[in-house]
Amino acid sequence: MGRLIKNHWARLIILTAAAYQIGSAIEGFIWPKVFWDFMTKNLNGAVTPIPILQILNLLMGLIGIAWEWPLKFVAGSTPHRSIEFRLILYPLSALLAMLLYQGTDPAIYYLIGIGVYFWAYSEGEMVCPEPWTLPKRSEYKV
């Protein structure tokens, strides 16, 4: 049996959350609603008449997909290799998703992905090490 590579697992969870966030933002354009409107109506200005929250959710979802399924200009860059940068950005994505009524499920996925990324970070995993730092075939432990 192999070892669980937690950053790959977190990557798949975040990809799912980002795709779901894009869908919820598009649905939010059609049916604008803030999740917390049962407590207060103060946040309704974020979704109507100008869809600020939906646009921010759409942008954060696109950034999440571009980062986790790396585009050519993103792949191998310092932010792409950094788990710390992900642990800073994805809570913001989760917060924006939590505010939109349609985005509560992606927010939960983001929180699970952040937890798995933190687990990987605490065990010293690296997202994509430099090619010159990889061990040679004879150095692998079996």
Side-chain angles (χ1 to χ4, degrees):
M1 302 266 315
R3 289 185 54 205
L4 173 65
I5 302 173
K6 286 162 274 313
N7 67 52
H8 289 299
W9 182 35
R11 177 182 160 263
L12 295 174
I13 294 170
I14 296 290
L15 269 172
T16 304
Y20 203 163
Q21 187 176 21
I22 291 171
S24 68
I26 292 170
E27 188 177 336
F29 284 115
I30 301 167
W31 296 287
K33 185 171 172 141
V34 175
F35 179 71
W36 303 102
D37 67 350
F38 61 89
M39 295 177 91
T40 179
K41 302 290 183 199
N42 293 337
L43 296 173
N44 285 347
V47 293
T48 56
I50 301 169
I52 297 168
L53 192 56
Q54 294 93 317
I55 292 170
L56 289 174
N57 271 294
L58 184 64
L59 289 175
M60 293 306 281
L62 290 172
I63 288 171
I65 290 210
W67 200 357
E68 295 297 338
W69 192 297
L71 296 174
K72 192 170 219 105
F73 64 90
V74 176
S77 65
T78 303
H80 179 252
R81 291 190 319 259
S82 172
I83 292 180
E84 297 93 346
F85 198 64
R86 293 165 200 247
L87 289 174
I88 292 169
L89 182 74
Y90 289 143
L92 178 63
S93 294
L95 176 68
L96 288 172
M98 265 184 242
L99 291 175
L100 194 63
Y101 176 74
Q102 293 88 351
T104 53
D105 288 344
I108 294 169
Y109 295 155
Y110 271 122
L111 293 177
I112 293 169
I114 291 166
V116 176
Y117 264 131
F118 184 75
W119 183 17
Y121 176 72
S122 64
E123 289 192 357
E125 286 189 7
M126 294 171 48
V127 171
C128 127
E130 296 292 334
W132 55 86
T133 62
L134 292 175
K136 296 179 182 164
R137 183 176 282 242
S138 60
E139 296 174 1
Y140 282 115
K141 294 179 184 177
V142 180

